[in-house]
Amino acid sequence: MFTAGAARGLYAGQAGLGRILLDLRRLDVHPPLYFWALEIWRRLLGPGWFTARLLSAGVTLAGLYGLACIARRLRVAAGPVLAMALLSYGFCYTAILARPYALAGALNIAGVGLALAAAEEGRRGPAWAAGLCLGAACFSEYLAVFTGVAALLWLGWRRPGQAARALAAMLPWLAACGWVFLGQRDSRQGQFAPFSWHAALAALARDGGAALFGGLPLYAGAWRGAVAALLGLLALLGLALALRRRQSRGFLALAAATPAGLLALGLVFRATPIEIRYLAFALPWLALALAPALPPWPRALWLGAQALAVAGLVLAP
């Protein structure tokens, strides 16, 4: 038995930044940066769920601005890139969750943009800032590290000295991630299914398709298989066209870092940690790879399918 007053204490009040850190380390599986930001945000604007979701929406808009800056730096039309990213089901989905994925994604976008600036301009400032942003992304959500590692490898190939500076800026964040993770390593045992290559690759295909096109096959009834096949062909066409474009290949590699990292993580921990919200980290890079590579009519078809998927997110039961 418990009283309403006793239950209210679980939902009201403010824990403080130190208490959030200790509780996460003892009871959860996430790093604290997002939850610290959320605590400050709620103190300023109120504790409601709508307010909490607004934080994710706000940092998603900041991430889109960073994506537009990258597109302009590459002399690519920003509009199609932003549309393809925003209409991706996984990107839109994480933008309305009171969870760390939107913040980590926006920080990764900032980090990659600064890494591009460091590679082109050869200045130290952007390299240090890139490392700080990529490290902060990891301290918001551990799985953001795959994008960070890929960005550092690319920067190291172009400018090793700049990559060393970025890594130096990133290391304190990674050390903090390690300290928090060591306290959480036994949390949520059995959260994911045991690892097998067949199950993991099937999950990648299913959730990767859902990250791009949502639940469209589920809405098609008896035509479910046909719709899934058509969407698969559209995705393969997009990838084939992007592979023909030299600039797009680098972003395809950056997008591949997340699924490859999830597979490696599954092998190490003997689990299958593959979900739409994790694969959302790959979506901005797919947009940068695909939007400039697709001719007008396939791009319109792609964006139309994505728009229907987001409508399903809004309207479907």
Side-chain angles (χ1 to χ4, degrees), residues 117-144:
E120 291 180 4
E121 300 166 13
R123 294 188 292 114
R124 296 181 180 184
W128 287 103
L132 289 173
C133 288
L134 295 171
C138 300
F139 205 51
S140 302
E141 169 54 50
Y142 296 129
L143 299 178

Side-chain angles (χ1 to χ4, degrees), residues 66-67 70 85 105-113 116 134 147 248 250-258 280-291:
L67 205 59
I70 293 174
L107 287 167
N108 265 344
I109 290 171
V112 170
L116 284 169
L134 295 171
T147 298
S248 293
F251 289 110
L252 287 177
L254 201 58
T258 293
F281 289 128
L283 296 174
W285 321 121
L286 281 176
L288 279 166
L290 293 170

Side-chain angles (χ1 to χ4, degrees), residues 237-267:
L237 172 64
L239 291 174
L241 291 172
L243 283 169
R244 295 174 58 187
R245 185 173 178 270
R246 180 180 177 183
Q247 196 179 64
S248 293
R249 292 175 202 151
F251 289 110
L252 287 177
L254 201 58
T258 293
L262 292 174
L263 288 174
L265 201 65
L267 279 171

Side-chain angles (χ1 to χ4, degrees), residues 206-305:
R206 181 189 66 241
D207 289 354
L212 288 171
F213 301 116
L216 285 182
L218 302 180
Y219 312 146
W223 296 92
R224 173 177 177 174
V227 170
L230 288 173
L231 291 174
L233 289 174
L234 180 61
L236 290 174
L237 172 64
L239 291 174
L241 291 172
L243 283 169
R244 295 174 58 187
R245 185 173 178 270
R246 180 180 177 183
Q247 196 179 64
S248 293
R249 292 175 202 151
F251 289 110
L252 287 177
L254 201 58
T258 293
L262 292 174
L263 288 174
L265 201 65
L267 279 171
V268 172
F269 291 97
R270 300 178 184 177
T272 312
I274 297 171
E275 295 184 2
I276 295 172
R277 53 189 175 171
Y278 304 153
L279 293 170
F281 289 128
L283 296 174
W285 321 121
L286 281 176
L288 279 166
L290 293 170
L294 289 176
W297 69 265
R299 185 195 304 156
L301 186 61
W302 187 293
L303 292 174

